[in-house]
């Protein structure tokens, strides 16, 4: 497989798919440029070689075509600053205007295309269908968009000599610019960017090159949204710590009293079934034994620590308690491979950050002692950044949904398109 390091971009035009889906405030200023900074090594390699860069990305979820708040023009000034050179912009991603802008690109120059999602062809899903559209109309619209998607993809590919995918965050989507476009390039002219390469290696290390004991910490509010991940992990891990809002579904399933805590009442049998499967597979399934509870969903609520299965009516669990912190930390510190997805509580409230912080600190300690640790999924990443722990873990993934699907064992279209 072709790699960025082994390729010389001199005189070549590279279509670089990045993930510049950054948060903007009401004045359209970037509030977090992590994803942009993550792509800089790839962009700089191409520029330094004397190649020219054509950037393709999404921003937000436009559903009706072009909208100013979703325009990538809002990221151009900041990207120019980050790269230390002016960056060009064209307010479309297909047509003569785009072809002309690309033709004018000189070696070392960078051009940002307008938000690819302004065209329905990028995602390949019909737009504007009437709510009462018949099955025949839906099928016809689907067929039409798939046909025009091929044309759109072909035109995007025709802009460049080389395709570089550096957008792990969208690797789980079979979109025009993330998967389909790769078919128009020969194996030696398509490759991962540095970020994508790192992400793929980190996931493979956690899922295939396992140093034991392997511990996964899964947080989140709903068992239903993590069921496939949990089932896949039960075939791989030695320890599975289930925490966050899921705790209370498992606690109630075992007959515990959970007060007003979040719970999926229709998933109680599933929780018991997962516990049974863990036992059969010899996996140590670890659940909280105590909780920090509150009399309201608020940072200023009254709080106390109680056994997790004895939460009074009108109170709710918003974090794990000190006993659970010790149990979790003990398991984590003895591990050699660690995956963390999801906090232990409502870490956005300062009074309920302690559990998530203690998990993060235990992971940092284990990493110092030689463990490989991968942190991924929006909230976990926000956690390690908030607590200043990101540099103490082995790898922080930029891809939320993509990482989770990879952990589920799914083949990601954006990766398959390059690896074959």
């Amino acid at each position: 497989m072709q790699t960025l390091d082994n390729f010389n971009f001199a005189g070549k035009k590279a279509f670089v798919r990045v993930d510049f889906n950054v948060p903007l405030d009401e004045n359209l200023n970037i509030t977090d440029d992590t994803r942009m900074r993550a792509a800089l090594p790839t962009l700089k390699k191409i520029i330094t070689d004397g190649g020219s860069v054509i950037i393709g990305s999404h921003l937000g979820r436009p559903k009706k075509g072009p909208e100013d708040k979703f325009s990538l023009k809002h990221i151009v000034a900041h990207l120019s600053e980050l790269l230390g050179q002016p960056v060009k912009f064209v307010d479309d991603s297909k047509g003569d205007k785009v072809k002309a802008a690309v033709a004018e690109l000189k070696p070392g120059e960078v051009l940002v295309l307008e938000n690819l999602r302004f065209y329905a062809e990028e995602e390949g899903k019909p737009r504007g269908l009437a709510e009462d559209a018949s099955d025949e109309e839906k099928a016809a619209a689907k067929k039409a968009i798939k046909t025009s998607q091929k044309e759109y993809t072909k035109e995007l590919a025709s802009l460049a000599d080389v395709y570089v995918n550096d957008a792990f965050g969208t690797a789980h989507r079979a979109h025009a610019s993330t998967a389909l476009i790769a078919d128009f390039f020969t194996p030696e002219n398509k490759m991962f960017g540095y970020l994508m390469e790192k992400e793929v290696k980190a996931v493979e290390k956690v899922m295939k090159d396992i140093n034991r004991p392997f511990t996964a910490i899964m947080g989140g509010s709903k068992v239903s949204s993590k069921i496939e991940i949990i089932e896949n992990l039960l075939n791989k891990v030695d320890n599975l710590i289930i925490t966050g809002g899921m705790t209370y579904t498992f606690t109630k399933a075992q007959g515990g009293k959970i007060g007003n805590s979040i719970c999926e009442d229709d998933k109680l049998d599933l929780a018991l079934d997962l516990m049974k499967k863990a036992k059969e597979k010899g996996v140590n399934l670890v659940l909280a034994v105590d909780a920090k509870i509150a009399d309201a969903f608020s940072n200023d609520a009254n709080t106390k620590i109680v056994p997790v299965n004895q939460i009074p009516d009108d109170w709710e669990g918003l974090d794990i308690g000190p006993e659970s912190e010790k149990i979790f930390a003990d398991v984590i510190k003895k591990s050699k491979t660690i995956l963390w997805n999801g906090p232990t509580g409502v870490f956005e409230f300062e009074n309920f950050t302690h559990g998530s912080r203690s998990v993060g600190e235990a992971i940092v300690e284990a990493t110092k002692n030689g463990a490989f640790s991968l942190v991924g999924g929006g909230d976990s990443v926000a956690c390690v950044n908030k607590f200043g722990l990101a540099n103490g873990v082995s790898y922080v993934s930029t891809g939320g949904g993509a990482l989770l699907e990879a952990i589920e064992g799914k083949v990601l279209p954006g990766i398959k398109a390059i690896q074959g």
Side-chain angles (χ1 to χ4, degrees):
M1 194 180 82
Q2 183 62 270
T3 64
L4 207 65
D5 273 336
N6 293 335
F7 195 87
N8 187 350
F9 288 89
K12 307 266 189 197
K13 287 188 166 76
F15 182 93
V16 186
R17 180 58 169 88
V18 294
D19 184 8
F20 284 177
N21 195 2
V22 292
L24 303 172
D25 64 19
E26 64 280 7
N27 300 315
L28 303 173
N29 295 312
I30 296 163
T31 55
D32 181 357
D33 68 352
T34 307
R35 286 176 169 173
M36 293 177 74
R37 283 185 287 106
L40 293 178
T42 294
L43 302 178
K44 284 178 175 172
K45 152 74 176 161
I46 299 166
I47 293 164
T48 306
D49 274 6
S52 40
V53 178
I54 303 154
I55 284 178
S57 180
H58 297 164
L59 181 62
R61 292 183 178 275
K63 293 293 175 202
K64 308 168 189 162
E67 280 182 75
D68 184 69
K69 66 177 177 180
F70 295 128
S71 174
L72 278 168
K73 70 183 179 191
H74 302 305
I75 64 103
V76 172
H78 190 61
L79 182 60
S80 302
E81 239 173 81
L82 291 173
L83 285 171
Q85 68 178 70
V87 169
K88 298 179 172 185
F89 173 72
V90 59
D91 62 357
D92 209 335
S93 60
K94 71 171 192 175
D96 292 340
K97 194 195 292 184
V98 175
K99 287 174 190 166
V102 169
E104 285 170 17
L105 267 188
K106 295 181 181 69
E109 290 188 334
V110 179
L111 172 72
V112 174
L113 304 184
E114 184 54 283
N115 192 342
L116 303 173
R117 272 189 178 152
F118 282 174
Y119 286 102
E121 283 80 1
E122 164 64 359
E123 295 178 282
K125 292 176 188 167
R127 287 179 188 167
L129 266 175
E131 280 183 33
D132 57 353
S134 66
D135 288 347
E136 288 82 6
E137 285 168 328
K138 284 177 188 169
K142 212 171 184 180
K143 192 178 174 186
I145 194 75
K146 289 297 176 195
T147 303
S148 58
Q149 186 182 39
K150 278 179 194 159
E151 288 308 309
Y152 178 67
T153 309
K154 189 178 178 182
E155 189 170 327
L156 275 183
S158 72
L159 300 173
D161 308 302
V162 192
Y163 174 64
V164 180
N165 191 343
D166 210 22
F168 182 72
T170 56
H172 57 313
R173 305 189 191 282
H175 290 171
S177 68
T178 58
L180 309 186
I181 192 172
D183 289 343
F184 291 90
F185 295 87
T186 58
E188 61 273 15
N189 285 314
K190 59 183 173 184
M191 64 207 80
F192 294 140
Y194 289 130
L195 174 66
M196 185 79 145
E197 209 175 282
K198 275 196 231 162
E199 295 272 6
V200 171
K201 280 180 182 163
V203 171
E204 282 179 353
K205 190 158 176 57
V206 158
M207 301 312 284
K208 294 174 185 167
D209 180 18
I210 301 165
N211 228 340
R212 299 194 178 275
F214 177 12
T215 297
I217 305 123
M218 301 305 292
S221 55
K222 294 182 174 179
V223 184
S224 53
S225 64
K226 297 281 170 87
I227 173 69
E228 286 92 351
I229 300 166
I230 291 171
E231 293 204 318
N232 193 39
L233 286 172
L234 285 175
N235 296 316
K236 298 182 184 294
V237 300
D238 302 292
N239 307 296
L240 178 59
I241 297 172
I242 290 182
T243 186
M246 290 191 283
T247 302
Y248 308 104
T249 300
F250 279 84
T251 303
K252 188 171 181 177
Q254 296 171 85
K257 291 175 68 178
I258 61 164
N260 280 350
S261 305
I262 188 169
C263 179
E264 289 179 284
D265 285 321
D266 60 337
K267 295 289 182 283
L268 301 179
D269 288 342
L270 173 62
L272 291 174
D273 186 45
L274 289 170
M275 291 175 81
K276 187 173 160 230
K277 278 184 185 168
K279 201 170 184 181
E280 285 165 2
K281 292 174 188 287
V283 173
N284 175 29
L285 184 70
V286 187
L287 291 161
V289 295
D290 58 351
K292 185 173 187 179
I293 63 170
D295 59 0
F297 188 77
S298 159
N299 189 49
D300 306 320
N302 295 309
T303 64
K304 52 186 174 183
I305 306 290
V306 298
V308 73
N309 56 2
Q310 291 174 38
I311 299 173
D313 295 344
D314 300 327
W315 287 69
E316 59 188 309
L318 295 187
D319 198 7
I320 57 172
E323 280 306 308
S324 304
E325 286 180 13
K326 281 181 202 150
I327 292 166
F328 289 6
D330 192 45
V331 171
I332 291 164
K333 286 174 189 173
K334 290 175 184 164
S335 306
K336 289 294 170 203
T337 304
I338 303 161
L339 169 68
W340 185 20
N341 173 258
T344 65
V346 188
F347 79 101
E348 297 87 346
F349 293 158
E350 207 51 50
N351 285 331
F352 303 96
T353 58
H354 205 272
S356 299
R357 187 190 291 271
S358 71
V359 163
E361 286 170 350
I363 294 171
V364 168
E365 194 170 319
T367 309
K368 270 185 199 153
N369 293 328
F372 178 83
S373 53
L374 170 60
V375 177
D379 283 344
S380 309
V381 174
C383 259
V384 291
N385 287 334
K386 179 174 182 167
F387 305 140
L389 302 173
N391 292 333
V393 301
S394 307
Y395 195 74
V396 179
S397 174
T398 59
L403 177 72
L404 298 186
E405 288 199 15
I407 296 165
E408 278 174 35
K410 291 180 181 171
V411 175
L412 306 188
I415 292 172
K416 188 172 184 283
I418 304 284
Q419 287 182 335

